[in-house]
Amino acid sequence: MEKINFKHKTIMAVGAHPDDNDFGCSATMALAARQGAKVIYVVATTGQRGSRTHKISAEQLSATRIKEQNAAAKILGVKQVRFLDYRDGELEPTLKLKEEIVMLLRQYRPDYVFTMDPSRFYYVRQNYGFINHSDHRAIGEATLDACYPLARDLNSFPMHQKMGLKPHKVKEIFLSSFMSDKANCFIDVSKTFHLKLKALAAHKSQFDDFRGVKSWITRGSAEMGKSRGYKFAEAFVRLKLR
Ligand SMILES: [Zn+2]
């Protein structure tokens, strides 16, 4: 598959929680920003439930996670982070969520959209399995529906026209998941992989010990790169929309 040119492109990465975009596609976002793309993050919740202790309130955690996500974005060269007002653990692909994403698509007019693979319900490894968080599935589904057909069609959400927003056609969508078995697009992120680690480390509230995370992310990204002859890669399902 041909190389992707990010120069002068607008890119929107849409995740459910602070850190989702950083786990899924941040090395690619840093690469795109370096090549002159304008990168916008959309985060549907502020990750209020992302704590294993009761010592911190949901409001405090929310404020911390917004700060952490903004710090990570700065490291990567992401221009802006837009937070939506949904509760962690309760995200559903509702028409309201789709409408909010459509509004952002019509506002920023991205060429490429990165989001989470909604078809990924569970993962099976040799000795264990795990369930993909329902918020991840919800944001992936809502974002796909928002890109097509909703943002494109003049008649979806006609109130947007009164706000001066025109329909928008997204050219390509890239879906990330924690496993690359369905991927048809491997992006060489050898030059920006260190920024991904730095951005992930900015989500301090999420890790008791970042060394473990660093080690599995490094191993996984090296594995994804191996088949293509890259030191590190991020893998996606790439959908070119007609
Ligand atoms: Zn998440």
Side-chain angles (χ1 to χ4, degrees), residues 16-17 19-20 116 136:
H17 313 117
D19 80 16
D20 284 344
M116 311 182 88
H136 296 167

Side-chain angles (χ1 to χ4, degrees), residues 23-120:
F23 271 111
C25 62
S26 61
T28 301
M29 296 302 99
L31 183 71
R34 277 187 175 188
Q35 290 179 4
K38 179 182 173 188
V39 182
I40 311 295
Y41 266 16
V42 176
V43 181
T45 78
T46 51
Q48 300 94 329
R49 289 193 184 167
S51 174
R52 290 179 202 95
T53 134
H54 289 296
K55 282 183 202 142
I56 178 163
S57 71
E59 288 69 30
Q60 280 171 316
L61 184 60
S62 176
T64 301
R65 297 204 68 184
I66 289 172
K67 265 194 215 151
E68 290 172 346
Q69 179 65 93
N70 284 330
K74 211 171 165 191
I75 291 163
L76 301 165
V78 171
K79 278 266 177 314
Q80 206 180 346
V81 185
R82 296 288 303 263
F83 292 94
L84 305 180
D85 198 18
Y86 289 86
R87 283 193 71 78
D88 188 358
E90 297 173 11
L91 202 62
E92 287 184 51
T94 59
L95 197 61
K96 179 176 176 286
L97 175 59
K98 292 176 194 179
E99 195 256 325
E100 288 182 54
I101 299 168
V102 168
M103 196 188 282
L104 291 166
L105 291 171
R106 287 174 170 175
Q107 193 181 335
Y108 290 100
R109 316 191 71 73
D111 301 282
Y112 303 148
V113 170
F114 285 70
T115 192
M116 311 182 88
D117 187 343
S119 71
R120 186 55 93 170

Side-chain angles (χ1 to χ4, degrees), residues 4 6 23 53 55-56 62 71 86 96 100 105 109 132 153 163 166 172 175 177 189 206 216 230 234 239-240:
I4 305 159
F6 291 115
F23 271 111
T53 134
K55 282 183 202 142
I56 178 163
S62 176
Y86 289 86
K96 179 176 176 286
E100 288 182 54
L105 291 171
R109 316 191 71 73
N132 189 21
D153 288 354
M163 299 160 73
K166 293 194 169 63
E172 298 195 33
L175 301 173
S177 77
V189 294
Q206 298 307 291
W216 70 257
Y230 308 146
E234 280 179 337
L239 305 174
K240 290 188 184 191

Side-chain angles (χ1 to χ4, degrees), residues 53-226:
T53 134
H54 289 296
K55 282 183 202 142
I56 178 163
S57 71
E59 288 69 30
Q60 280 171 316
L61 184 60
S62 176
T64 301
R65 297 204 68 184
I66 289 172
K67 265 194 215 151
E68 290 172 346
Q69 179 65 93
N70 284 330
K74 211 171 165 191
I75 291 163
L76 301 165
V78 171
K79 278 266 177 314
Q80 206 180 346
V81 185
R82 296 288 303 263
F83 292 94
L84 305 180
D85 198 18
Y86 289 86
R87 283 193 71 78
D88 188 358
E90 297 173 11
L91 202 62
E92 287 184 51
T94 59
L95 197 61
K96 179 176 176 286
L97 175 59
K98 292 176 194 179
E99 195 256 325
E100 288 182 54
I101 299 168
V102 168
M103 196 188 282
L104 291 166
L105 291 171
R106 287 174 170 175
Q107 193 181 335
Y108 290 100
R109 316 191 71 73
D111 301 282
Y112 303 148
V113 170
F114 285 70
T115 192
M116 311 182 88
D117 187 343
S119 71
R120 186 55 93 170
F121 212 116
Y122 53 81
Y123 303 81
V124 184
R125 286 275 198 192
Q126 249 171 349
N127 302 318
Y128 65 93
F130 64 95
I131 298 163
N132 189 21
H133 196 295
S134 58
D135 289 353
H136 296 167
R137 285 180 267 133
I139 197 63
E141 184 175 338
T143 304
L144 285 181
D145 291 352
C147 290
Y148 178 88
L150 296 171
R152 185 203 63 169
D153 288 354
L154 185 68
N155 291 325
S156 5
F157 313 119
M159 62 282 207
H160 290 181
Q161 284 177 60
K162 289 188 191 116
M163 299 160 73
L165 297 172
K166 293 194 169 63
H168 176 65
K169 210 172 152 216
V170 173
K171 294 188 184 86
E172 298 195 33
I173 299 176
F174 296 78
L175 301 173
S176 63
S177 77
F178 299 102
M179 278 191 192
S180 58
D181 52 346
K182 289 200 246 170
N184 62 353
C185 171
F186 292 75
I187 297 181
D188 181 359
V189 294
S190 307
K191 290 199 176 97
T192 52
F193 182 69
H194 65 289
L195 295 172
K196 177 176 185 138
L197 290 178
K198 217 173 153 190
L200 283 170
H203 296 278
K204 288 192 190 83
S205 66
Q206 298 307 291
F207 313 117
D208 297 328
D209 176 13
F210 186 66
R211 279 174 304 178
V213 177
K214 186 179 171 180
S215 136
W216 70 257
I217 287 282
T218 305
R219 210 170 43 240
S221 307
E223 240 168 62
M224 284 182 211
K226 212 170 168 187

